[in-house]
Amino acid sequence: MTDTATTAADRFERGLSVLDEVGGPSGRAVVGGLADIAPDLGRYVVEFGYGDVYSGPGLTLAQRQLATIAALTGMGTAAPQLRWHIGGALNVGVTPAEVVETIVHIGVYAGFPAVLNALAEARAVFAERPEAGNPVTASEIRPDETTQQRYERGLAKLAEVDGDAADHIFETLGATSPDLARYLVEFAFADVYSRPGLDLKTRELATVAACTAMGTAAPQLRVHLHGLLNVGGTVEEAVAVITQMASYAGFPAAINGIAALREVLAQR
């Protein structure tokens, strides 16, 4: 709940503190870069984006940065900001491997072109920050696994995340698009969701962020809000990640995300 006694100066200073933590030595350039054309916008970024939203409860700075990376990857329209937030993720303790895993994960929801473009930004950041470490995680390729084994492994992961929603997926797709249903199980869940590098809650936070920000996948957003709660996420975390998207995708996207969450909670 907002402290009604907080002044604009308090919010600005709180925002600057978080901006320094995320952005490092160059963090305040966000404000300075707008001084000649839109100084008030620079102030809004600090006061609202960081003083209000990023300083709020529910998520760590590392979780917030991964959510932002997921959203910007999915939207595919903000390469400079994506690059900045990849650097910010490293500043708050996220590893290069976690950054890459988050980007790869969003390929399920935004497609390969969005992921390839995001990885180009990540590569540029990592080249400037070699001290951050190796971005490559251990491979989960299983050369001796049969197609049936891969499918069954995907089904098990799908059920772990989505529970009964898995049955609805097959009811929706099975009759008209059985191959698409199979690809969903084999690729999205056997291949991507089963990769090391991120736990299931982090994957679902990233998915909720991206689906909220993209604004084109309301049914899937509801499924993955259920999924987030199924794998140990809390309502507070769901509210926090959706609210954060107001800064990156606008208030309509965040409001629609909260409406989806309200439906999910009513069903539970």
Side-chain angles (χ1 to χ4, degrees):
M1 183 174 293
T2 301
D3 181 355
T4 56
T6 299
T7 67
D10 293 333
R11 292 169 59 228
F12 189 81
E13 289 304 314
R14 185 170 65 228
L16 277 181
S17 177
V18 177
L19 183 59
D20 287 342
E21 191 170 354
V22 174
S26 63
R28 298 194 184 199
V30 173
V31 183
L34 293 169
D36 63 330
I37 187 169
D40 283 348
L41 178 59
R43 180 168 56 82
Y44 298 153
V45 169
V46 175
E47 289 179 355
F48 174 67
Y50 292 93
D52 292 342
V53 176
Y54 256 68
S55 299
L59 298 171
T60 67
L61 284 181
Q63 289 173 317
R64 289 191 181 278
Q65 284 303 100
L66 289 178
T68 299
I69 289 169
L72 295 178
T73 296
M75 293 166 65
T77 56
Q81 290 73 26
L82 175 58
R83 183 182 295 201
W84 192 91
H85 280 286
I86 290 170
L90 301 180
N91 291 339
V92 298
V94 176
T95 68
E98 289 170 329
V99 169
V100 170
E101 283 301 319
T102 299
I103 293 171
V104 170
H105 180 84
I106 298 306
V108 173
Y109 304 96
F112 287 115
V115 167
L116 293 173
N117 291 340
L119 287 175
E121 299 303 321
R123 181 181 286 111
V125 174
F126 299 154
E128 298 169 355
R129 304 275 296 270
E131 76 283 356
N134 188 347
V136 179
T137 60
S139 174
E140 276 291 282
I141 300 298
R142 305 176 187 222
D144 298 324
E145 185 177 54
T146 67
T147 299
Q148 183 61 30
Q149 288 170 332
R150 178 178 173 232
Y151 183 81
E152 290 173 356
R153 185 163 56 84
L155 274 182
K157 185 63 67 174
L158 174 59
E160 185 178 355
V161 174
D162 290 339
D164 294 340
D167 296 332
H168 179 67
I169 290 171
F170 291 106
E171 290 173 5
T172 303
L173 294 176
T176 56
S177 305
D179 284 347
L180 182 57
R182 179 168 56 83
Y183 296 153
L184 175 66
V185 171
E186 293 176 350
F187 175 67
F189 288 91
D191 291 349
V192 176
Y193 262 82
S194 298
R195 288 173 59 83
L198 295 176
D199 60 29
L200 283 180
K201 188 172 89 167
T202 302
R203 290 187 182 278
E204 287 300 274
L205 282 170
T207 302
V208 168
C211 287
T212 299
M214 290 189 296
T216 56
Q220 291 74 25
L221 174 58
R222 290 191 292 271
V223 166
H224 286 285
L225 284 165
H226 277 295
L228 174 60
L229 299 175
N230 289 342
V231 299
T234 66
V235 174
E236 182 182 38
E237 289 170 328
V239 169
V241 74
I242 293 170
T243 300
Q244 185 173 318
M245 294 305 103
S247 294
Y248 299 98
F251 277 91
I255 291 169
N256 291 341
I258 290 296
L261 177 61
R262 183 179 293 114
E263 292 180 34
V264 166
L265 296 179
Q267 292 169 2
R268 297 172 74 96

